[in-house]
Amino acid sequence: MLNWIKFIVVFLLTLTTVITVIVLYNANQPISAAKKAAIEAALASGQLVSASSAEIFNGTTSFVTVYGKGEDGVEKAVFVGGNSEDGFPEVTMADGISAEQAVENVKQELNVKTIHHVALGMEEKGPVWEVTFKGDNGKLNYVYVFFEDGQWWKRILNL
């Protein structure tokens, strides 16, 4: 009887582990596919010759920001989203502030406990850094900082 109990417990734990892994793998597939398609689109458009990474930005319009190098070897970010016949919006990374500078701008004015992520994306006013963090009060905050000059655009505080 004890062997049956052990078998059932081990079987249920194994089954639970396998199902969890399958669910997590399948949940990540659309994100991976979107990033891969965006990288291929940025390379096919000729705006980048090599891509180093990609991240999804969900603002007013969803974009996949693809980071890489152009033909001249300059670091660029290309915002892939929707259909574009004459190329996607892009920025040269040297023409704006870095992610670290965006975080420092936020830290100067707000109490930041932990940074969750910093993402570059395109909004109606131009490229922005989205800084997501938890404040000292433990609440979630979103701050949008313009890429070109580091000025604040939007603040969504204490969620």
Side-chain angles (χ1 to χ4, degrees), residues 22-23 26 39 48 52 58 66 74 87 95 97 115 124:
I22 290 171
V23 167
N26 287 334
I39 289 171
L48 295 177
S52 57
N58 290 312
V66 181
V74 176
D95 290 344
I97 65 170
I115 299 288
E124 62 266 8

Side-chain angles (χ1 to χ4, degrees), residues 79-94:
F79 305 103
V80 178
N83 295 331
S84 179
E85 296 175 5
D86 48 330
F88 301 106
E90 67 178 47
V91 294
T92 303
M93 297 306 288

Side-chain angles (χ1 to χ4, degrees), residues 73-112:
V74 176
E75 290 286 330
K76 291 183 181 181
V78 177
F79 305 103
V80 178
N83 295 331
S84 179
E85 296 175 5
D86 48 330
F88 301 106
E90 67 178 47
V91 294
T92 303
M93 297 306 288
D95 290 344
I97 65 170
S98 68
E100 294 80 17
Q101 290 169 321
V103 169
E104 287 304 315
N105 286 356
V106 171
K107 285 183 177 179
Q108 287 176 0
E109 292 192 36
L110 297 172
N111 295 325
V112 176

Side-chain angles (χ1 to χ4, degrees), residues 11-27:
F11 176 76
L12 290 177
L13 285 174
T14 304
L15 183 64
T16 303
T17 303
V18 168
I19 289 172
T20 302
V21 168
I22 290 171
V23 167
L24 291 175
Y25 176 77
N26 287 334

Side-chain angles (χ1 to χ4, degrees), residues 1 4 6 17 23-24 27 31-32 45 52 60 76 89 100 108 114 117 124 134 145 149 153:
M1 181 69 175
W4 277 105
K6 288 180 185 177
T17 303
V23 167
L24 291 175
I31 295 171
S32 298
S45 72
S52 57
T60 307
K76 291 183 181 181
E100 294 80 17
Q108 287 176 0
T114 56
H117 79 270
E124 62 266 8
K134 281 203 175 176
V145 178
D149 55 9
W153 178 49

